[in-house]
Amino acid sequence: MTRHMTGAQIVIQALKDQGVDTIFGYPGGAVLPIYDELFQQNDIRHILVRHEQAATHAAEGYARSTGKPGCVIVTSGPGATNAVTGLTDALMDSIPMVVLSGQVPTFMIGNDAFQEADTVGITRPCTKHNWLVKDTADLATTIHQAFHVATHGRPGPVLVDIPKDVQFATAAYLPPEKARVSHYQPKTKADPEAILAAVEAIERAERPVFYTGGGIVNSGTAACAALRDLVGATGFPITSTLMGLGAYPASGEAWIGMLGMHGSYEANWAMHDCDVMICLGARFDDRITGRTDAFSPHSYRIHVDIDPSSINKNIHVHVPIVADVGSAIEDILALWRERGARTNAGPVQKWWKQIALWREKDCFGFRRSDQVIKPQYALQRLEALTKGHDRYITTEVGQHQMWAAQYLGFEEPNRWMTSGGLGTMGYGFPASIGVQIAHPESLVINVAGEASWLMNMQEMGTATQFRLPVKQFILNNERLGMVRQWQELLHGERYSASWSESLPDFVKLAESFGWKGIRCDSPADLDAAIREMIEHPGPVLFDCLVEKHENCFPMIPSGKAHNEMLLGEDATQGAIGAAGAVLV
Amino acid sequence: MNALHIKKGASSHSAYDLRNPLGDQRETHTLCVLVDNEAGVLARVIGLFSGRGYNIESLTVAETDHLGHRSRITIVTTGTPAVIEQIKAQLSRLVPVHQVNDLTVEGPAVSRELALIKVAGTGERRVEAMRLAEVFRAKVVDTTLESFVFELTGAPTKVDAFIELMRPLGVVEVARTGVAAIARGGFAPD
């Protein structure tokens, strides 16, 4: 028997049937009927944020740390436009997210009504797909399809725009199993010929490297387990992008560190000199490749990606494999074992010796100080003191983000939430809220810079209201550190608008929201202060005053190749040429 | 639409210096895209081309299967082979896109375009315009004592040639539909 409901009831029922337990949002005129239904039920918990952008980042943090899609509700007009940054962020980092937006009534669309915006038009390029629902009879099916599209193939954000009259009108509710199945069914199983080519390359490789990315984390824990099997069985070195950290444990024997612009010296040289590159769920982003015409010039490249448009987009590959990366790794492993589990052990051992030589450069070394806290030292201590904990890390964007990636070790997937593709300052704090909601008992730390953190600081109220003990670990250099670094290297040390003036007193700010505030400016006091932060049962704002002019190294300057990486000491003006200066 | 011209040496969709390893010979391809006939689908396709810096030479769209709720978009585009492959992959991953066929590489195909050309003139120029129209099998669909409107159907190159010939004879206005194309033979491509 079909049940008739109002549009608002259909929304809530569809969310329940899709397994949604938490929704991040902010009410407004065009979503009042939905909020009225939210009020009258207890299965879905609504988290009231202080700005819609934070709702989207919190949903990203929730999604990234659980593997489930994040869910957001915003009102029409400004509610929807405020969600655009989070939608774009999720699109770039392939995070499954469903955003429901209110819209003015259908008969007013196009009239420049109060709080009207062309939401589907604005969000078309920053969603995987979006819908404007003009008939309540289509509402249930559309929401079910939205979840299907967000979570199938390459995950991504979707948006369903629901006019207010559609929320009031009644129609029959269609449960997910009765809803029309979308034709959207991306291919997930690899071609056997491509798997064979990959296995043959693994068997004959002399200088192999696994280059892995966020796709493995997105594929799930089975993919991470399969990756660990494959790396363990072959003994090949493995590096990862920023997004893929934790898929393979940082303590693993084959781990050679993150690659890319601020990756490890050994990982980048291994990428440059390898003869077989096995790219699993990564997309040859420009932060990874550096100068593309000098990228890994002698390698035979295998690329597994669920999105065919990622293949040959930036870098030509020899063996394209369109598949779910977990399934492809399992296929590779099975065929390789069936053929005798052979590797070219002698040359691979020699390759490891070469990697050990690169490692001797100690690229993450830094000049220590007992006067001021070096940001690297702060993260080393944070790592040492939180390592044994059930820990989740989020970050903002900038130098602190790169240092966090360099100095914190991730043993498990879904423990590291950062804005990679879009590089959204202001991501980390709301993301930490989303993570803490999903993991109330865990230690959730947002490693932040003071400038990024201020971009979404209004969320302090959210953390207080929902009793979320998030730890905000701010490396405060009173600078926009990464901007300052580029101005030093590229723009003649003219520091245009790159310092943080008029900062708040973070301790007082914390106390005004009922948080604990900790300030630390001495290396000698740092351990005790970090312990105090961890042990405090509520939210903590940790103002860690660090060296103001520290640069983030190693670094591949723009327009340079992997083997032209700068270690700290080499950094001088003129390292980046005129051609590199136009790049971001 | 030359505004989206792709710079040599830069990849089409990025401001960055990403050189194409597979040569930079620009090719013209005719793509046929089958889509759900739903609101915004054309905006999605056009947005993809403008957002990623691809070139559109010609674009036509109309519903072709009312019951199946399908429209057919025919796009003529130019780019290096790698860019053409990217365009096809990017189109294919749009949710309402069912099928993308590259009629330029998937076997013989016919391309046709309809044009309306208004030519104004008197005396010998008017007679010459009429004579050329007969050579091209263009139809006269409107006439005054000083003008003709010719209707011409053919491959885009034929339409181009006709317009060029007519220009000195007094072309006032040209309307073109853009290219519709279909594969030869008795089968629909899959």
Side-chain angles (χ1 to χ4, degrees), chain A residues 365-379:
Chain A
F366 58 93
R367 214 170 274 126
R368 278 155 207 280
S369 164
D370 50 12
Q371 301 300 315
V372 296
I373 301 175
K374 291 282 193 160
Q376 301 97 323
Y377 176 74
L379 286 165

Side-chain angles (χ1 to χ4, degrees), chain B residues 33-104:
Chain B
V33 189
L34 284 180
V35 299
D36 284 327
N37 183 18
E38 62 181 30
V41 67
L42 186 60
R44 271 176 226 287
V45 170
I46 293 172
L48 191 155
F49 275 74
S50 64
R52 293 184 183 267
Y54 304 141
N55 194 15
I56 298 178
E57 302 262 310
S58 157
L59 181 141
T60 58
V61 57
E63 188 180 66
T64 51
D65 175 4
H66 184 67
L67 288 178
H69 221 58
R70 297 286 166 81
S71 290
R72 183 179 173 112
I73 301 176
T74 309
I75 304 169
V76 180
T77 184
T78 58
T80 62
V83 168
I84 299 286
E85 287 309 307
Q86 257 302 296
I87 292 173
K88 288 191 266 184
Q90 293 289 354
L91 282 170
S92 302
R93 75 179 185 143
L94 295 179
V95 171
V97 169
H98 288 257
Q99 201 177 315
V100 178
N101 288 104
D102 185 343
L103 296 179
T104 305

Side-chain angles (χ1 to χ4, degrees), chain A residues 124 128-130 149 154 182-184 286-287 289 291-293 307-314 316 583-584, chain B residues 11 13 15-19 21-22 36 38-41 43-44 52 82 86 89-90 93-98:
Chain A
R124 201 174 280 127
K128 193 175 164 188
H129 196 60
N130 61 14
V149 170
R154 181 175 175 177
S182 169
H183 76 273
Y184 181 76
D286 57 81
R287 295 300 91 161
T289 59
R291 196 174 122 201
T292 47
D293 60 359
D307 179 359
S309 76
S310 286
I311 288 173
N312 289 331
K313 181 170 68 180
N314 298 338
H316 175 69
L583 302 176
V584 180
Chain B
S11 96
H13 49 272
Y16 302 157
D17 172 46
L18 305 169
R19 282 183 198 91
L22 295 177
D36 284 327
E38 62 181 30
V41 67
R44 271 176 226 287
R52 293 184 183 267
Q86 257 302 296
Q90 293 289 354
R93 75 179 185 143
L94 295 179
V95 171
V97 169
H98 288 257

Side-chain angles (χ1 to χ4, degrees), chain A residues 209-212 227 231 236-240 247-248 254-257 267 352:
Chain A
V209 66
F210 285 110
Y211 152 41
T212 62
L227 174 72
V231 175
F236 292 174
I238 172 171
T239 178
S240 161
Y248 183 83
W255 180 242
I256 58 172
W352 269 112

Side-chain angles (χ1 to χ4, degrees), chain A residues 254-272:
Chain A
W255 180 242
I256 58 172
M258 180 179 80
L259 81 159
M261 186 172 267
H262 293 289
S264 80
Y265 189 78
E266 50 271 32
N268 284 320
W269 271 84
M271 287 290 280
H272 186 270

